[in-house]
Amino acid sequence: MNKGKVYLVGAGPGDPKLITVRGRECLELCDVVVYDRLASPRLLRHVKPGTEKIYVGKLPDRHTMKQEEINQLLVDLALQGKTVTRLKGGDPTIFGRVGEEAELLYDNGVEFEIVPGITSAIAVPAYAGIPVTHRDLASSLSIITGHESPDKLDRSIHWDKVTNATGTLIFLMGVAKIGYIADQLIKHGKPPQTPVALVRWGTRVEQQTIVGTLETIEAIVREANFQPPAVIVVGEVVLQREKLRWYENKPLFGMRILVTRARAQASELADQIESLGGEPCEFPVIETQEPSNAEAIGMLRTHLEQAESYSWVMFTSVNGVDYFFRWLQRFGIDIRRFHGARLAAVGPKTAEALRMRGLTFEELPVQFHAEGLLEQLDPHLKAGERVLLPRGDLAREVLPRELQSKGLEAVEIDVYETVLADTQDELALEWLREKRIHMITFTSSSTVTNLLELLRRRGIEDPAEHLAGIPIASIGPITSKTVIDAGLSVTVEPEHSTIDSLIDAIAAYRAAKANV
């Protein structure tokens, strides 16, 4: 059997987007990923299906696996012919013990590659608004371990040289020893008033920062019950935080928001949450697919072949547009055969989907739902006209019913089906169980019913009771009714039923809560 290869990858400080391009590539191609506590679990979404995941993380009071065992594990996996990615928090060469892992791989003739990562020593202070160097304040820095016992610290650190020979001091893994570290720095010449900052879980939604001086910081840490992991910054650069704290000032900072949209549509909402400082937790509970029933497909073809008979084609969703054109291509039907039909769209995203195909359409309604569309188009509708409605199988009956009441013929075709998603993120489930989600977003009635059903299937007997207390953002009144009917409460509902309005409403809620 051929030997495998091991990639020793720095995962970055916590924010999953701070991994390097090469690091992400290593995740995508590996057969096994071996990861620890400081690597973001969200990075595991980049591995291919079937990749084995082995957690070897360490907690301050407990080691899941000893370092020597981790070293041997990497060798054993590679000798089985597997491609292994060893995912380590921060940069693997800075207190990451990568040298020990690589040395044993070398001794066993295993090929390896070290992939640098962004170290928490510089990234975490930056996210707290603290540049580790500054032209006027610090022209050098030292990165020091603070994890050892005091006697080991004294043997490994020359306090007199460290204290006086550098500008900024960065201590990693030193929260429990903060009092001793501060005392030694004062003892060896640092002024007691020297600014100090501790940043916990930096670059993540849980980021917390406390600031003091060498003489006050131990008491501040104790009073706040400040726990590791954290980066300690000592030096005048800490004062820059007052002006430069950019990350913590973002509108959605501190919020982990569940996104329940279909995976193909989730990125728009997730990207906006992330750009505003929140952490999107993508948990698609619905999927769309083409109808599989032969009879239904036959009816689709029949209705689409009657293209010249329609006076209107009304689209109520982006999915409706996308699947409509898929079926035209499948059946070889030229869109120009609908030359006698006027197009109408519900919502700006649906309109954009038509615009991207070079099509024009009727003016958008003020309210982005079927009732608004009818109100807007009523003066243009004539009894006897034939209207084609390319929709999903769960579409509401309001639009065809109202069209028929006005004397028009409504031809409904199910161009796609909405089903319960069959693959789920275990991390998101864990966060839901532990109530570590700060808000749930629902963008349709089916996202509500499917989330509850999925939780039931995962052993939660009363999902509504379990979710009680978690704020809910609903995209509009129809979805909100489904939320309320399910026994839940709506916290946020935007003025308009769009993703942009939903994000604005969530940000306004967050701001109001912060000012209470």
Side-chain angles (χ1 to χ4, degrees), residues 132-152:
V132 293
T133 64
H134 188 281
R135 181 175 181 179
D136 299 324
L137 302 175
S139 58
S140 61
L141 71 148
S142 295
I143 302 173
I144 309 156
T145 180
H147 188 55
E148 306 289 357
S149 60
D151 60 323
K152 287 186 179 180

Side-chain angles (χ1 to χ4, degrees), residues 192-471:
Q193 293 76 33
T194 301
V196 182
L198 274 74
V199 188
R200 181 175 187 267
W201 286 120
T203 78
R204 298 189 179 203
V205 70
E206 298 94 345
Q207 177 172 309
Q208 294 176 287
T209 305
I210 57 175
V211 176
T213 64
L214 286 176
E215 64 181 349
T216 64
I217 195 64
E218 182 180 14
I220 293 173
V221 167
R222 189 184 306 113
E223 182 179 354
N225 191 29
F226 205 77
Q227 299 296 318
V231 172
I232 302 169
V233 187
V234 180
E236 296 301 316
V237 291
V238 170
L239 300 178
Q240 293 291 301
R241 171 175 161 77
E242 185 174 344
K243 293 181 178 179
L244 305 185
R245 47 186 297 178
W246 62 276
Y247 181 51
E248 295 168 22
N249 288 339
K250 285 197 167 189
L252 297 184
F253 170 73
M255 293 190 72
R256 179 179 290 121
I257 301 175
L258 196 74
V259 178
T260 56
R261 300 189 90 191
R263 195 173 301 279
Q265 298 175 312
S267 59
E268 178 192 2
L269 178 54
D271 288 347
Q272 290 201 48
I273 290 170
E274 203 157 41
S275 70
L276 295 178
E279 180 181 340
C281 179
E282 294 183 39
F283 192 68
V285 297
I286 61 173
E287 292 178 352
T288 59
Q289 62 184 31
E290 295 179 355
S292 56
N293 181 276
E295 183 179 351
I297 295 174
M299 288 298 296
L300 260 174
R301 181 165 199 154
T302 297
H303 290 309
L304 290 173
E305 288 284 7
Q306 299 169 3
E308 294 82 1
S309 70
Y310 300 110
S311 302
W312 291 89
V313 182
M314 295 184 180
F315 296 97
T316 56
S317 70
V318 174
N319 281 331
V321 176
D322 292 341
Y323 279 93
F324 174 78
F325 281 92
R326 287 192 203 180
W327 288 112
L328 291 186
Q329 184 177 20
R330 174 84 61 86
F331 299 140
I333 299 174
D334 193 324
I335 184 63
R336 290 173 292 185
R337 290 182 56 187
F338 289 87
H339 59 84
R342 300 167 72 179
L343 305 182
V346 172
K349 295 300 180 183
T350 307
E352 181 63 21
L354 292 173
R355 189 179 293 112
M356 292 294 290
R357 290 171 168 84
L359 300 172
T360 57
F361 45 87
E362 298 305 315
E363 185 179 351
L364 294 172
V366 176
Q367 294 297 326
F368 306 123
H369 48 71
E371 291 87 339
L373 179 66
L374 283 175
E375 181 180 341
Q376 192 83 15
L377 297 180
D378 189 60
H380 307 287
L381 300 175
K382 298 177 182 178
E385 290 183 326
R386 205 161 187 247
V387 182
L388 183 65
L389 301 173
R391 294 147 38 100
D393 62 323
L394 300 182
R396 299 165 64 233
E397 293 301 316
V398 174
L399 184 55
R401 186 173 60 244
E402 290 299 313
L403 287 170
Q404 290 167 2
S405 72
K406 296 178 182 295
L408 291 88
E409 180 186 354
V411 179
E412 301 176 69
I413 55 172
D414 293 343
V415 292
Y416 68 93
E417 296 175 344
T418 301
V419 297
L420 184 69
D422 59 359
T423 57
Q424 294 301 333
D425 190 322
E426 293 300 325
L427 175 63
L429 277 169
E430 178 184 337
W431 282 343
L432 275 172
R433 288 191 181 101
E434 296 176 357
K435 299 195 175 182
R436 293 170 61 189
I437 296 293
H438 305 119
M439 177 167 280
I440 299 172
T441 59
F442 290 122
T443 54
S444 66
S445 292
S446 56
T447 59
V448 181
T449 55
N450 282 17
L451 176 62
L452 298 178
E453 175 59 24
L454 195 146
L455 293 178
R456 287 189 196 95
R457 294 187 182 187
R458 291 305 184 99
I460 298 176
E461 294 184 6
D462 190 341
E465 182 179 356
H466 183 80
L467 298 179
I470 301 178

Side-chain angles (χ1 to χ4, degrees), residues 7-239:
Y7 295 95
L8 303 164
V9 177
D15 182 338
K17 285 198 171 182
L18 293 182
I19 194 170
T20 64
V21 173
R22 181 57 178 156
R24 179 168 172 171
E25 288 175 349
C26 295
L27 284 171
E28 292 170 345
L29 60 83
C30 70
D31 304 310
V32 184
V33 59
V34 179
Y35 65 104
D36 62 31
R37 177 178 177 236
L38 298 182
S40 172
R42 291 172 64 202
L43 289 173
L44 300 181
R45 297 173 182 174
H46 297 305
V47 302
K48 60 192 177 187
T51 298
E52 184 180 0
K53 303 170 186 176
I54 302 176
Y55 176 67
V56 295
K58 303 170 183 177
L59 297 173
D61 59 346
R62 175 175 59 85
H63 288 59
T64 300
M65 187 178 290
K66 293 181 179 180
Q67 184 62 49
E68 293 76 13
E69 295 172 333
I70 297 174
N71 301 345
Q72 189 60 51
L73 173 66
L74 300 178
V75 171
D76 293 342
L77 291 169
L79 292 179
Q80 294 170 22
K82 296 179 179 179
T83 299
V84 183
T85 292
R86 169 70 170 110
L87 196 61
K88 306 167 74 72
D91 178 272
T93 67
I94 298 181
F95 307 131
R97 304 184 74 170
V98 73
E100 301 169 44
E101 296 175 353
E103 186 175 3
L104 190 62
L105 292 169
Y106 173 83
D107 290 343
N108 284 270
V110 175
E111 184 182 1
F112 65 88
E113 180 179 322
I114 298 175
V115 181
I118 299 176
T119 175
S120 61
I122 60 173
V124 168
Y127 267 58
I130 303 171
V132 293
T133 64
H134 188 281
R135 181 175 181 179
D136 299 324
L137 302 175
S139 58
S140 61
L141 71 148
S142 295
I143 302 173
I144 309 156
T145 180
H147 188 55
E148 306 289 357
S149 60
D151 60 323
K152 287 186 179 180
L153 284 176
D154 289 341
R155 289 198 302 270
S156 60
I157 300 173
H158 299 286
W159 291 104
D160 56 334
K161 294 182 174 60
V162 166
T163 301
N164 298 296
T166 191
T168 303
L169 303 179
I170 305 291
F171 290 88
L172 303 182
M173 305 170 290
V175 176
K177 309 295 188 305
I178 185 62
Y180 183 80
I181 292 170
D183 289 343
Q184 290 301 308
L185 293 176
I186 294 173
K187 178 180 177 181
H188 289 87
K190 280 285 187 188
Q193 293 76 33
T194 301
V196 182
L198 274 74
V199 188
R200 181 175 187 267
W201 286 120
T203 78
R204 298 189 179 203
V205 70
E206 298 94 345
Q207 177 172 309
Q208 294 176 287
T209 305
I210 57 175
V211 176
T213 64
L214 286 176
E215 64 181 349
T216 64
I217 195 64
E218 182 180 14
I220 293 173
V221 167
R222 189 184 306 113
E223 182 179 354
N225 191 29
F226 205 77
Q227 299 296 318
V231 172
I232 302 169
V233 187
V234 180
E236 296 301 316
V237 291
V238 170
L239 300 178

